[in-house]
């Protein structure tokens, strides 16, 4: 379960992230609205905790932009603005739930659990196609002309990024940040390991799509003989 928290109060971010990680969640942090929207748009998160008052782009604008772009990830809006009108504005902008600050961490955790228990209501099937490939990001399955296989979560996230930008070279830093998140402690060399795993998956299901290494830059997915 991967959570994105978009909050400019770094102390609150760190404290909340620690509590969430203790409950077994993977947590990435962002501290301004523009960066937060960028990470939301990658489609790799199961839940977003979104502050309303953010630098560069406010929380309601982040939320509206995400919803208009087809992002259906559940969003729990966190804010010090607790009037009825404020809550209505947040829900109308596309929030799934609303929690006012200061909040008790026990209530936050309960609301997180409630949101992630409702997959039928808040999530849709996520499919990406390229060439003869069909990637189902919700089921973590990859299907091609030759076969069908299951993927690990990181394999699915990496391949999903590559398929969505098929034909374009994605830099190592871009891929690593989008798949592992901006605050990860994982070494960047892990990207090469997962690229190797993805190549094996591609070879197992398709003879028409290949992962190309662009030396010194990154990776690109393209159609062509494997």
């Amino acid at each position: 379960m991967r959570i994105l928290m978009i909050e400019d109060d770094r102390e609150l971010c760190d404290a909340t992230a620690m509590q969430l990680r203790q409950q077994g969640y993977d947590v990435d942090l962002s501290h301004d609205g523009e960066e937060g929207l960028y990470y939301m748009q990658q489609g790799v998160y199961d839940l977003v905790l979104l502050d309303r008052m953010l630098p560069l782009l406010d929380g309601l604008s982040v939320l509206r932009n995400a919803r208009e772009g087809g992002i259906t990830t559940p969003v729990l809006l966190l804010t010090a603005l607790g009037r009825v009108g404020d809550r209505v504005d947040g829900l109308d902008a596309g929030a799934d739930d609303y929690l006012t600050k200061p909040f008790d961490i026990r209530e936050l955790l309960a609301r997180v659990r409630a949101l992630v228990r409702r997959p039928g209501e808040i999530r849709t099937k996520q499919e990406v196609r390229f060439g003869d490939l069909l990637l189902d990001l919700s089921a973590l399955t990859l299907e091609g002309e030759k076969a069908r296989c299951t993927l690990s979560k990181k394999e699915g996230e990496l391949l999903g990024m590559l398929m969505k930008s098929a034909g374009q070279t994605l830099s190592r830093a871009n891929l690593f940040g989008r798949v592992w998140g901006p605050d990860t402690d994982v070494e960047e060399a892990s990207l090469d390991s997962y690229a190797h795993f993805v190549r094996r998956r591609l070879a197992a299901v398709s003879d028409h799509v290949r992962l190309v290494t662009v030396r010194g830059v990154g990776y690109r997915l393209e159609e062509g003989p494997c």
Side-chain angles (χ1 to χ4, degrees):
M1 173 76 184
R2 189 168 180 181
I3 295 175
L4 172 65
M5 185 172 185
I6 310 172
E7 166 65 66
D8 63 329
D9 183 334
R10 293 174 182 262
E11 185 175 341
L12 176 62
C13 250
D14 292 341
T16 305
M18 181 183 69
Q19 294 284 344
L20 289 166
R21 288 166 180 150
Q22 287 177 353
Q23 299 298 314
Y25 300 110
D26 292 327
V27 185
D28 294 331
L29 304 177
S30 177
H31 303 300
D32 69 69
E34 287 186 355
E35 182 187 65
L37 176 60
Y38 171 79
Y39 283 112
M40 281 186 72
Q41 290 170 335
Q42 308 317 307
V44 299
Y45 294 99
D46 302 291
L47 178 67
V48 176
L49 306 180
L50 176 63
D51 183 25
R52 180 163 174 171
M53 301 171 68
L54 291 166
L56 302 184
L57 191 65
D58 68 272
L60 292 189
S61 296
V62 170
L63 190 50
R64 291 191 184 101
N65 275 277
R67 295 307 190 218
E68 289 170 4
I71 303 299
T72 60
T73 307
V75 172
L76 173 57
L77 202 60
L78 306 175
T79 178
L81 303 175
R83 295 177 302 176
V84 172
D86 296 320
R87 294 197 296 272
V88 170
D89 288 344
L91 295 169
D92 283 346
D96 297 271
D97 200 358
Y98 198 105
L99 184 60
T100 56
K101 302 176 184 177
F103 52 81
D104 189 306
I105 189 64
R106 293 172 298 178
E107 182 176 5
L108 174 69
L109 292 172
R111 288 175 183 263
V112 167
R113 290 192 298 270
L115 283 171
V116 300
R117 278 199 304 266
R118 293 160 32 195
E121 296 175 29
I122 58 180
R123 296 183 195 171
T124 57
K125 195 172 185 179
Q126 300 179 59
E127 293 184 344
V128 185
R129 295 178 181 270
F130 176 65
D132 65 331
L133 297 179
L134 171 61
L135 171 64
D136 185 336
L137 288 166
S138 55
L140 290 175
T141 58
L142 178 66
E143 185 174 351
E145 278 190 357
K146 291 167 57 178
R148 182 174 182 271
C149 68
T150 58
L151 307 172
S152 71
K153 185 176 180 181
K154 283 291 182 286
E155 288 172 344
E157 291 172 356
L158 177 57
L159 185 55
M161 296 299 105
L162 291 161
M163 288 179 66
K164 289 175 183 177
S165 301
Q168 303 176 37
T169 299
L170 299 181
S171 70
R172 294 178 58 84
N174 189 4
L175 283 168
F176 187 76
R178 289 162 71 176
V179 175
W180 277 268
D183 298 299
T184 183
D185 294 327
V186 177
E187 294 183 0
E188 190 178 327
S190 297
L191 174 60
D192 299 314
S193 297
Y194 276 91
H196 173 71
F197 299 152
V198 165
R199 278 200 178 94
R200 292 175 58 185
R201 302 297 192 188
L202 291 173
V205 304
S206 174
D207 288 326
H208 307 292
V209 178
R210 60 178 181 153
L211 179 59
V212 176
T213 300
V214 182
R215 296 197 179 279
V217 182
Y219 294 96
R220 179 177 68 249
L221 202 66
E222 62 182 36
E223 288 189 272
C226 297

